[in-house]
Amino acid sequence: MANQFDVVVIGAGPAGYVCAIRAAQLGLKTACIEKWTDDKGKTKLGGTCLNVGCIPSKALLDSSHKFVEAQKDFKLHGINHSGVEMDVPQMVARKDKIVDQLTGGVGGLFKANKVTLFEGAGKVLANKQIELTKGDGSVEIIDTKNVVIATGSRPVEIPPTPTDGDLIVDSTGALQFQETPKRLGVIGAGVIGLELGSVWGRLGSEVIVLEAMDRFLAAADEQISKESLKIFKKQGLDIRMSARVTASEIKGKEVHVTYSDADGNDNVVVFDKLIVAVGRRPYTESLLSPDCGVNMDERGFIFVDEHCATDVPGVYAIGDVVRGPMLAHKGSEEGIMVADIIAGHVGHMNYELIPSVIYTHPEIAWVGKTEQELKAEGVDYKMGTFPFAASGRALAANEKEGMVKVISDVKSDRILGIHVVGPSAAELVQQGVIAMEFAASTEDLALTIFSHPTLSEALHEAVLAVDGQAIHIANRKRR
Amino acid sequence: EDPILSPAARKIAEEKGIDPAAIAGTGKGGRVTKEDVVRHAEAKPAA
């Protein structure tokens, strides 16, 4: 037996690489398998998040936001310049450099923690054996006591708009445009569609976002999603709800997209580039041998319990390939939980408090329950809001759009949800996540000292507003 | 009502098999802190 491991992780994305590092830290003999390679055949660690997801999209969002600020906001501060230009290839090259640095960093962490890297495709056989198919086609069997499947997700394709890698692209292609498309179509007004639409809209694309659902950001708190939609429309994003794409046709260098609107009428819009961002699906291609014993649910996710255990003892699955929100921090925490369990420790993960962030500008973030969820559950709640327009720090920064909203239980005052659209939304929500992990009441946060002037004060004031005690806004009359 | 435990208190109580209801919480409103669980475990070592 050439290879015998305690743990073999399949996939080196945020779920898999974190799991492998934690398992190695806990003294387990650990290997990680990754098949993703760049066009030169070099293995790429870090998965979707580092290579074509979280990190590259944030790099482009930050670059494009600076461009907008320079173009539109600098004058306000008294900063005059004779014109700003965006060099798109340079912006994309900077992004690629960051990606290279971080993915290389994962390789360094593997070495430092003595995680064995296998380059190739892993397949789960019966009896927890792993078949490794390398780039050159050779096959090797790896024996292991535990298997962790972390194979991630792929963009969903829809029949009316097959991607061609040129005019019709998925999120990966949209991170690689070498020039700003004049007319850009985005199918899907979810996180990915909004972020990518924002990047290219800021650089001058005329953006139309087509969304099949009738409610904007259905998972977010309704008040926050309404406020956000208003802000995005003001920024020039043409977001069309209840727009169901039925067909597309490539004519020369143009994409003609047909969609039916809320009234059932057909409309045709013409784009230079079209991004399909309708969702992501679990990726399990060639992963499971028919007799391995691991089962999938009806949507193609690997079936697991609350501790990410599959139907086969010693085989776990984590991240986008299993149920729950498709978020990097969710996958990573599952990786830690599973490594802990394999090492014989208690493994725990609080699925109630996974924060969500949309990195538009202003940013949108939330944790816990939305007002509509609490209504549906019949919970007696109270809530307070605070607008950034009343925050001294926000005004100084010229970031006056958006608001903080805090919801708590009427009887216990325990905080149930925190929702923010505005500057540093993710950081403000994170303060709430910490408080909520300790079962904080709004009174707990009200009694906490917040620095002045900071954006965090908006959270403090929203918390005070829950009981009509905000200082810097007129409080709403209690019912 | 269920006792409220801090994240670390939750983990240690589960590891040591301690019933959270048996721990005297010294935090606000009787919340059980990491210190409370550690003190409880030291006073009554698990069988």
Side-chain angles (χ1 to χ4, degrees), chain A residues 308-358:
Chain A
C308 291
T310 68
D311 291 330
V312 180
V315 180
Y316 302 83
I318 57 177
D320 286 1
V321 82
V322 303
R323 81 284 174 271
M326 286 180 159
L327 298 169
H329 45 279
K330 176 264 194 183
S332 297
E333 286 307 311
E334 285 179 333
I336 293 205
M337 169 174 73
V338 164
D340 285 353
I341 290 171
I342 291 171
H345 302 294
V346 165
H348 183 76
M349 158 133 190
N350 186 357
Y351 283 94
E352 301 291 310
L353 295 182
I354 302 172
S356 297
V357 186
I358 305 171

Side-chain angles (χ1 to χ4, degrees), chain A residues 385-386 460-475:
Chain A
T385 59
F386 188 80
H460 196 206
E461 289 279 354
V463 150
L464 288 163
V466 169
D467 280 320
Q469 294 176 332
I471 300 297
H472 293 90
I473 40 162
N475 290 287

